[in-house]
Amino acid sequence: MSESVSISVPAVLPLFPLREIVAFPYMIFPLFLKDDELSAFEDMLGHEQMVVLARTREEAAPGQTPQLCEIGTLCKVNQIYRLPEGGGKVVLEGVVRVRILDVADTLPHIQVRCEVVHEFFEKSVVSEALVQSLNALLKIALSYGRPLPDDVMKMIDLIDNPARLADLVALYVNLPLDEQQRLLETVDPLERLKKVYMHLTAEVQRLQVKGEVQAEVTRRVGKSQKEYLLREQMKQIQEELGEEDPRGTEMTELRSRIQNAGMPDEVRKIADKELKRLDRINPSSPEYTVARTYLDYLAGMPWGRSTADNHDINQAEAVLDEDHYDLKKVKERILEYLAVRTLRERMKGPILCFVGPPGVGKTSLGKSIARALGRKFIRMSLGGMRDEAEIRGHRRTYIGALPGRIIQEIFRCGSNNPVFMLDEVDKIGLDFRGDPASALLEVLDPEQNSTFTDHYLDVPFDLSNVMFITTANLLDPVPAALKDRMEVIRLSGYTDEEKEKIAVRYLIPKEVEENGLSATPPAFASAAIYKIIGDYTREAGVRNLQRSIASVCRKVAKEITQGKPLRETITPEVVEEFLGPRTFFNEVAAEQDRVGVVTGLAWTETGGDILFVEATRMKGKRDLILTGSLGDVMKESARTALSYVRATCADWGIDEGAFEDTDLHIHVPAGAIPKDGPSAGLTMVTAIVSLLSGRPARRDVAMTGEISLTGRALAIGGLKEKVLAARRAGVKTVVAPSRNRENLEDIPDDVKNELTFIFVDDVHEAVAAALQ
């Protein structure tokens, strides 16, 4: 059976070009036009109410006729109405395919000559099979979620014409515009039906695969994955609504921080791996917070950020002199470091250890060094630290784990080359939680700290650019291995003259400002400052001196607020009025020469001090009694001194019978204060010889030195501190071992000029210098 589609059309028809759609016969569709387009469309139609719609191959330049496809669709205009908001809608119905022969006119609108494309088809077993298969495929697609309007489904069931069925189904299959145009240009209905059938088959197969995958995913997906899918859908909805997803923003920001952190390659790989893992974790999970905090630390560490060093040595020297008086060795060492750094850009930071009594400026010196170098400053106190994790951090497997204090402080300062001060390194504790001093070995070793690994970060961080400074009052409690890694610089106490200059330059201006006296600052007389130093403070540093000056300033401020006359000058009398009776006395000058009482010199963690060794005897059983809270070493020195005197009693004019039926008692006053060390050996020998020979000891002669069992005078430490203590106490002559003669270089000239130094090689010389 044969059928043909025929229709009579005018010779010339108006044409409306299309870009975004393809019009098919039997298709009813709307066109939305602007006001000017709608007016032009109405003028173009005339009375025929017929128009040719054809797709353009490419965009035409203004004023030029667009290049048209050969096959278009003759459409009937069913409705035209204007919209209230402007423009209008045209409802068209596709009638038949037409072949465009040529363009008859372009003004005022395009008119073309065309002919109807006659479609012949013949019902056959093939066409009937294709129609039935197409209907079945449409129902399958409908079952997989490809919806079609109900009226369309009814029409498809009733249509047995392959041409009409192919055109109708083509509208509801997702085909690209070019493919739709090729279907329109396929004149043979059976061939067109085959193409539509092939496209629909591919679409159904895709829907089947998608359905199977979706079913498998749905079967495997648990609660967390479902939440993830919902969250992704919510993210898409928020994007459509123009709302931001907080988590997406957070991940984007974190990814950007990691990219800009300047991490080494191996660290960057770990960070990227952790970031991918974080993206898969539910934000409500505790593990999310752990991973998020870890990435925050990785991204925030100053892997490549550092401050530029100040290479102007003269300026650095001026800064150090401005902040601190004297301390020549320390300043010289810092300037040496700067000089080397100027000549060589890449070098390891020094590990300095400032050892000295309290109040001499160890901690504040670190701030000055940072200011002189132009670096950031970090201070961390080690006093009482007992947990090794304070240095190395906790592993991330522990709840509440954090990096160690080293990494935390560098993270906060944001620079990989700060001046890092570790205060009170001699006061680190030790218990079952670990040994923090041993954990510091890697931190303070220039050969190892370039790959310091914190337990929390678990990646190496370069500490070689950091300038570490440690402080200690005593070097003895510091483990030998840790001490070996540090360059020790000793800070001795200040002389009275140095304290007076420090008070005038630094302490008084600071306390005047702190106590609100800047408008009417009182002038401190030099004698008043020396009175505070000599009568109210007895220390190696200037901490108590600062407190006493602050006390005077507070009392001046009190008088001002009470309306009393302003004290323009602080004199010694005003000092005594404000601070009360003197606290310290000249212990040597106030005493007389006595038998068995010898002045000694001692070194303590607060600086030098004098001590008196007193000896007496009584009837007994040749016992030696030692009192005064003496340590084991000092007790051994006393026994060594007694043994030596007994072995050489003839040299001193002492009768051997003096030791028979006699107990000797050696006492060191200030019995509540623990004392230890070997440097009181010479003093004890002299006290015993004075007692047994009846020769008084000169109180203005102070001595220090360890003795051997053969009577040699052995070298001691802390000579400068001891000499300063002797001067404060009013001593005129200092007796010390000959091996300490070189230490005189450390003592200021004004102190050396006031004292007489006697250096001895053995006990006999020391006794001769001390006894009358």
Side-chain angles (χ1 to χ4, degrees):
M1 176 180 177
S2 299
E3 293 185 13
S4 64
V5 177
S6 62
I7 188 173
S8 60
V9 297
V12 177
L13 286 169
L15 182 139
F16 188 80
L18 300 176
R19 284 289 301 166
E20 303 299 330
I21 62 172
V22 175
F24 280 90
Y26 319 114
M27 172 182 177
I28 298 176
F29 61 94
L31 277 182
F32 292 94
L33 304 176
K34 298 178 182 178
D35 285 332
D36 54 346
E37 293 176 336
L38 185 61
S39 300
F41 190 85
E42 291 174 340
D43 294 340
M44 178 178 64
L45 287 178
H47 301 288
E48 296 295 334
Q49 297 296 308
M50 302 287 283
V51 65
V52 176
L53 298 184
R55 188 165 177 264
T56 59
R57 297 188 183 278
E58 58 186 19
E59 194 70 35
Q64 292 185 357
T65 303
Q67 185 178 359
L68 302 171
C69 293
E70 181 183 0
I71 302 295
T73 303
L74 178 63
C75 295
K76 177 183 176 183
V77 178
N78 291 339
Q79 277 184 328
I80 299 178
Y81 57 90
R82 296 183 179 273
L83 300 175
E85 60 271 16
K89 184 172 80 169
V90 180
V91 179
L92 301 112
E93 179 184 355
V95 178
V96 69
R97 285 175 173 77
V98 293
R99 179 176 283 105
I100 300 172
L101 301 176
D102 60 3
V103 177
D105 199 356
T106 59
L107 293 176
H109 50 265
I110 302 176
Q111 292 185 329
V112 294
R113 294 184 182 88
C114 56
E115 65 178 7
V116 175
V117 175
H118 297 285
E119 297 181 348
F120 296 94
F121 64 90
E122 189 173 302
K123 287 186 178 181
S124 63
V125 175
V126 175
S127 65
E128 290 180 357
L130 279 174
V131 169
Q132 293 174 2
S133 299
L134 206 60
N135 285 333
L137 283 176
L138 278 173
K139 292 176 181 177
I140 293 173
L142 186 63
S143 68
Y144 278 111
R146 173 67 69 189
L148 291 177
D150 293 338
D151 55 345
V152 174
M153 286 301 303
K154 291 177 182 179
M155 289 174 59
I156 290 174
D157 288 336
L158 297 174
I159 295 174
D160 59 355
N161 186 326
R164 291 195 61 183
L165 184 62
D167 288 343
L168 188 61
V169 173
L171 302 177
Y172 297 98
V173 180
N174 292 329
L175 295 177
L177 289 177
D178 291 340
E179 190 63 34
Q180 291 184 28
Q181 180 64 33
R182 280 193 287 273
L183 277 176
L184 184 68
E185 294 175 354
T186 303
V187 176
D188 186 357
L190 194 60
E191 186 67 26
R192 190 160 69 245
L193 192 63
K194 290 179 182 179
K195 288 185 178 181
V196 171
Y197 177 80
M198 295 300 296
H199 286 303
L200 190 57
T201 301
E203 179 74 9
V204 169
Q205 289 176 348
R206 187 163 58 251
L207 290 172
Q208 284 178 334
V209 172
K210 181 180 178 181
E212 291 172 0
V213 171
Q214 186 68 30
E216 183 68 18
V217 169
T218 303
R219 188 178 66 83
R220 294 186 179 185
V221 167
K223 180 181 178 183
S224 60
Q225 284 81 357
K226 287 181 180 178
E227 291 178 355
Y228 172 76
L229 292 174
L230 290 172
R231 199 170 291 110
E232 289 297 313
Q233 292 174 3
M234 186 181 298
K235 185 192 302 182
Q236 186 66 32
I237 293 170
Q238 287 173 336
E239 289 180 1
E240 293 292 334
L241 295 175
E243 298 177 358
E244 293 187 357
D245 177 20
R247 188 186 179 193
T249 305
E250 182 182 30
M251 295 298 295
T252 302
E253 179 187 352
L254 195 56
R255 186 174 290 104
S256 175
R257 288 177 57 196
I258 290 174
Q259 289 176 353
N260 300 327
M263 301 177 183
D265 293 340
E266 60 273 14
V267 180
R268 177 65 186 274
K269 291 178 182 177
I270 294 173
D272 289 340
K273 181 180 178 182
E274 285 293 322
L275 187 63
K276 292 178 182 177
R277 178 171 167 269
L278 179 68
D279 201 19
R280 295 192 299 268
I281 299 176
N282 187 347
S284 61
S285 170
E287 197 173 350
Y288 180 86
T289 305
V290 174
R292 179 71 173 83
T293 306
Y294 176 68
L295 283 173
D296 268 337
Y297 272 103
L298 276 185
M301 289 298 295
W303 301 98
R305 296 194 303 273
S306 59
T307 54
D309 281 348
N310 169 30
H311 294 297
D312 189 341
I313 296 181
N314 296 325
Q315 181 185 350
E317 185 176 13
V319 170
L320 293 174
D321 290 338
E322 179 184 342
D323 290 349
H324 286 82
Y325 180 79
D326 195 34
L327 304 180
K328 295 180 181 178
K329 285 189 176 180
V330 182
K331 295 176 181 178
E332 183 179 354
R333 178 63 183 88
I334 300 305
L335 296 178
E336 288 172 359
Y337 170 76
L338 270 179
V340 176
R341 189 62 187 260
T342 303
L343 298 176
R344 185 185 179 200
E345 184 62 28
R346 180 70 179 174
M347 65 174 292
K348 296 174 181 176
I351 314 295
L352 305 179
C353 180
F354 297 156
V355 180
V360 296
K362 299 186 297 297
T363 303
S364 61
L365 189 59
K367 296 180 182 178
S368 298
I369 292 172
R371 194 161 76 92
L373 293 175
R375 296 187 178 188
K376 294 186 177 181
F377 177 72
I378 299 172
R379 179 187 168 274
M380 173 180 164
S381 178
L382 302 178
M385 184 179 289
R386 294 177 176 272
D387 192 352
E388 175 258 352
E390 290 282 337
I391 303 296
R392 285 188 170 276
H394 299 83
R395 298 198 181 277
R396 281 181 289 145
T397 52
Y398 295 103
I399 296 175
L402 282 174
R405 291 283 302 280
I406 302 292
I407 293 297
Q408 283 189 48
E409 296 297 341
I410 291 179
F411 173 82
R412 289 192 188 104
C413 86
S415 170
N416 64 8
N417 65 338
V419 173
F420 202 125
M421 173 158 280
L422 301 170
D423 233 349
E424 313 294 352
V425 72
D426 57 331
K427 297 177 179 62
I428 298 178
L430 171 64
D431 67 1
F432 66 94
R433 286 168 289 188
D435 182 5
S438 298
L440 280 174
L441 293 178
E442 183 183 5
V443 176
L444 298 181
D445 191 340
E447 301 300 325
Q448 300 180 34
N449 61 11
S450 59
T451 56
F452 172 71
T453 303
D454 185 272
H455 286 161
Y456 181 83
L457 291 186
D458 203 25
V459 293
F461 185 82
D462 187 0
L463 295 178
S464 62
N465 295 323
V466 180
M467 184 175 189
F468 284 101
I469 299 175
T470 62
T471 69
N473 298 130
L474 294 172
L475 205 54
D476 295 338
V478 180
L482 186 58
K483 194 186 310 180
D484 181 61
R485 285 162 168 78
M486 301 184 294
E487 180 180 345
V488 178
I489 299 177
R490 296 188 179 273
L491 281 71
S492 304
Y494 296 110
T495 64
D496 291 354
E497 289 77 13
E498 290 172 339
K499 290 181 181 179
E500 190 268 341
K501 292 177 182 177
I502 292 172
V504 171
R505 293 187 185 183
Y506 307 104
L507 305 183
I508 293 175
K510 178 181 178 182
E511 293 304 326
V512 164
E513 182 179 355
E514 290 287 335
N515 292 281
L517 300 177
S518 300
T520 56
F524 280 74
S526 181
I529 299 175
Y530 278 111
K531 183 171 182 63
I532 296 175
I533 294 171
D535 294 351
Y536 295 93
T537 65
R538 184 67 62 83
E539 59 178 345
V542 293
R543 191 165 289 158
N544 287 325
L545 175 59
Q546 182 175 357
R547 292 193 185 105
S548 299
I549 293 173
S551 178
V552 171
C553 291
R554 288 195 302 270
K555 294 184 184 301
V556 172
K558 178 185 174 184
E559 289 187 346
I560 292 175
T561 57
Q562 290 176 340
K564 296 181 179 180
L566 175 65
R567 297 181 189 261
E568 297 180 354
T569 303
I570 304 300
T571 62
E573 293 75 19
V574 175
V575 169
E576 188 169 355
E577 177 186 348
F578 283 167
L579 300 183
R582 61 189 298 180
T583 307
F584 297 98
F585 297 88
N586 194 325
E587 296 156 333
V588 173
E591 294 288 342
Q592 297 179 350
D593 298 345
R594 295 172 61 186
V595 174
V597 180
V598 181
T599 305
L601 296 173
W603 183 91
T604 67
E605 64 179 61
T606 59
D609 202 356
I610 66 167
L611 54 82
F612 299 102
V613 176
E614 300 177 345
T616 188
R617 61 179 177 173
M618 64 208 81
K619 288 186 178 181
K621 299 179 181 179
R622 302 175 66 177
D623 289 337
L624 175 62
I625 303 171
L626 302 172
T627 57
S629 189
L630 308 183
D632 292 339
V633 177
M634 203 165 184
K635 290 177 181 178
E636 291 174 357
S637 293
R639 294 190 183 96
T640 303
L642 178 59
S643 297
Y644 180 75
V645 172
R646 287 181 62 187
T648 60
C649 59
D651 297 341
W652 316 108
I654 300 172
D655 185 10
E656 292 184 5
F659 299 98
E660 297 296 331
D661 301 325
T662 299
D663 288 344
L664 282 182
H665 185 172
I666 297 178
H667 175 68
V668 182
I673 302 175
K675 310 169 190 69
D676 201 5
S679 61
L682 281 180
T683 312
M684 289 182 174
V685 168
T686 305
I688 295 172
V689 172
S690 173
L691 172 68
L692 297 179
S693 65
R695 298 164 59 188
R698 296 168 55 189
R699 292 300 288 266
D700 62 346
V701 175
M703 56 177 53
T704 180
E706 182 181 359
I707 62 166
S708 69
L709 202 56
T710 58
R712 291 182 298 122
L714 305 179
I716 45 85
L719 181 65
K720 180 180 179 181
E721 289 85 351
K722 294 176 180 179
V723 169
L724 294 179
R727 186 202 186 200
R728 286 195 298 267
V731 170
K732 300 301 181 185
T733 303
V734 174
V735 178
S738 295
R739 296 182 182 179
N740 289 107
R741 189 187 299 272
E742 297 176 355
N743 299 122
L744 279 181
E745 296 180 1
D746 300 332
I747 299 173
D749 292 336
D750 53 353
V751 177
K752 288 189 286 189
N753 294 335
E754 290 185 18
L755 299 177
T756 301
F757 292 90
I758 300 177
F759 293 97
V760 299
D761 291 315
D762 55 34
V763 174
H764 289 79
E765 297 177 19
V767 172
L771 300 186
Q772 294 182 4

